């Protein structure tokens, strides 16, 4: 599938992942996403401990996701997540994907990722409620990236 | 085995099964266990042994029109899972059985009386450390005569909602308070999946669906607690004609289930057009 200009502007690791998922049939995509979810590691204790502050909660996410960022010594941010709903498989998968593909990226590139990316990752079968919550995770990461840019004077 | 629902005072406790009961009936050929979720990754990541999946979008909706599946598709769906009219279908799922209750409602549209809901859903089953598997079962097709879908008893259409308003009969909006107040319409970038106007149907009470569930255990609240919520707090009466709605009729099927089977309200209908129809309807009255 040819890349649109919006897709070409995506952070390269995110674009590569989306193109890989595009090449999979539904069952393969599901298995790939479950594999991501199984790699989920909760926010390290050096960053946050329970009870997690409400300010870190992703709005509208039924899976009760929380997002943090941590500055890297070499510049850029690492993103960390907690997902309190034990059934939040998609939320865990997206947390791993966002951490893998957006950590260390430029804040402007992160801020430019369109919400439609959620559907590109998960396919068209998500309910709107589910899409809302997952897009909320992306938006929370984008908010963290913008704050990080302000802190660093970028 | 003692009946765990006897003490809860439900009007029709027979529509629920406990995890203990289900664990003993997993291999029962007269029982088919069906998982129905909001999150499409949940079933393939692990489900009850022998459980099949019914997906609200792929399986229960018309692929072209905004409509439920018809009788022929329903019969094929049931037959394909080895379900006959005599099979007891036990539904469960994520999100406090929200989608399981939606599937239950659709089974009732087609008159499949032998349907049950697993109290506590997936959450309780997993918290009890019970077995799950990623093995997807298959069953020999069963004979399921094509049923007629009866939309007259438990389904409401927009004309009936207008009648409801005119008559002053109760409507229950089971969405979040933010949706009820019209503060949230749709997700950014997905305007086609939302509504052009926010708010609620005039006169509707706001009772978010999940208030009927114990958030810790995932179990339905006892009848006395449900009565406090719906009768005392909201002023509903058992004889009322009631219409429940949400965004597309899925969350409100959970409330329909609670009012109809757990509290014994005889006349409750689910308006599945819900806010995505009402909030886009030209000239429809709205309150905020």
């Amino acid at each position: 599938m040819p890349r649109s200009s919006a897709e070409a502007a995506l952070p390269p690791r995110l674009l590569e992942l989306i193109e890989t998922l595009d090449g999979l049939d539904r069952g393969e995509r599901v298995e790939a996403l479950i594999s991501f979810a199984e790699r989920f590691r909760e926010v390290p204790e050096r960053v946050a401990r329970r009870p997690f502050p409400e300010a870190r909660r992703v709005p509208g996410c039924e899976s009760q996701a929380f997002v943090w960022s941590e500055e890297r010594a070499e510049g850029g941010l690492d993103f960390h997540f907690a997902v309190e709903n034990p059934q939040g498989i998609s939320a865990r998968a997206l947390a791993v994907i966002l951490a893998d593909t957006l950590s260390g990226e430029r804040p402007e590139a992160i801020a430019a990722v369109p919400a439609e990316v959620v559907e590109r990752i998960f396919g068209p079968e998500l309910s709107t409620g589910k899409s809302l919550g997952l897009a909320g995770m992306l938006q929370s990461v984008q908010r963290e990236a913008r704050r990080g840019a302000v802190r660093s004077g970028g | 085995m003692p009946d765990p629902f006897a003490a809860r005072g439900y009007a029709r406790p027979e529509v629920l099964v406990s995890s203990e009961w289900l664990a003993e009936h997993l291999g029962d050929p007269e029982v088919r266990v069906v998982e129905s979720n909001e999150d499409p990754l949940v079933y393939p990541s692990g489900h009850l042994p022998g459980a099949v999946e019914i997906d609200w979008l792929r399986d229960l909706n018309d692929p072209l029109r905004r409509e439920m599946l018809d009788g022929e598709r329903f019969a094929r769906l049931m037959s394909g899972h080895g379900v006959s009219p005599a099979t007891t279908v036990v539904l469960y799922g994520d999100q406090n059985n929200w989608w399981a209750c939606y599937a239950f409602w659709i089974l009732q549209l087609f008159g499949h009386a032998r349907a049950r809901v697993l109290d506590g859903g997936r959450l309780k089953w997993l918290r009890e450390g019970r077995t799950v598997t990623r093995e997807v079962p298959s069953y020999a097709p069963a004979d399921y005569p094509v049923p007629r879908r009866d939309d007259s008893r438990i389904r409401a259409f927009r004309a009936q909602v207008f009648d409801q308003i005119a008559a002053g009969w109760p409507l229950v909006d089971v969405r979040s308070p933010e949706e009820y107040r019209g503060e949230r319409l749709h997700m950014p970038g997905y305007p086609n999946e939302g509504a052009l106007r926010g708010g609620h149907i005039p006169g509707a009470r706001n009772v978010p669906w999940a208030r009927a569930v114990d958030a810790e255990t995932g179990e339905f609240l006892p009848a006395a607690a449900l009565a406090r919520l719906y009768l005392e707090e909201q002023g509903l009466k058992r004889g009322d004609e009631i219409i429940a709605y949400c965004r597309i009729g899925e969350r409100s099927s959970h409330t329909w289930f609670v009012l109809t089977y757990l509290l014994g309200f005889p006349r409750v209908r689910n308006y599945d057009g819900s806010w995505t129809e009402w909030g886009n309807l030209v000239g429809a009255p709205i309150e905020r």
Side-chain angles (χ1 to χ4, degrees), chain A residues 70-128:
Chain A
E70 184 181 31
E71 290 186 25
R72 290 178 162 185
E74 67 272 27
L77 297 172
D78 281 326
F79 297 103
H80 302 291
F81 299 84
V83 177
E84 295 291 70
N85 181 347
Q87 301 168 96
I89 312 290
S90 290
R92 285 185 172 80
L94 185 60
V96 171
I97 288 170
L98 295 177
D100 280 0
T101 63
L102 298 184
S103 290
E105 286 292 338
R106 291 178 301 110
E108 314 85 75
I110 295 172
V113 173
E116 287 83 351
V117 155
V118 169
E119 189 177 346
R120 291 294 304 275
I121 292 170
F122 288 91
E125 294 171 3
L126 287 176
S127 70
T128 298

Side-chain angles (χ1 to χ4, degrees), chain B residues 37-118:
Chain B
N37 298 315
E38 183 196 31
D39 188 336
L41 299 187
V42 166
Y43 175 84
S45 73
H47 47 265
L48 274 64
V52 297
E53 182 183 27
I54 287 184
D55 181 85
W56 70 280
L57 187 59
R58 289 194 311 274
D59 295 322
L60 298 179
N61 275 263
D62 184 283
L64 181 60
R65 296 181 304 146
R66 183 176 176 187
E67 183 53 281
M68 305 298 153
L69 75 175
D70 61 18
E72 288 191 6
R73 283 191 63 213
F74 182 80
R76 277 202 303 277
L77 178 67
M78 293 293 107
S79 171
H81 289 316
V83 174
S84 78
T87 306
T88 296
V89 175
V90 177
L91 295 147
Y92 76 100
D94 67 355
Q95 302 289 12
N96 295 327
N97 279 328
W98 153 4
W99 295 98
C101 287
Y102 180 73
F104 183 99
W105 176 66
I106 290 181
L107 258 66
Q108 299 320 300
L109 290 175
F110 288 103
H112 191 100
R114 293 175 185 267
R116 310 283 183 266
V117 172
L118 171 64

Side-chain angles (χ1 to χ4, degrees), chain B residues 209-223:
Chain B
W209 66 282
R211 291 188 66 190
V213 173
D214 182 320
E216 288 301 312
T217 65
E219 296 172 340
F220 290 106
L221 296 178

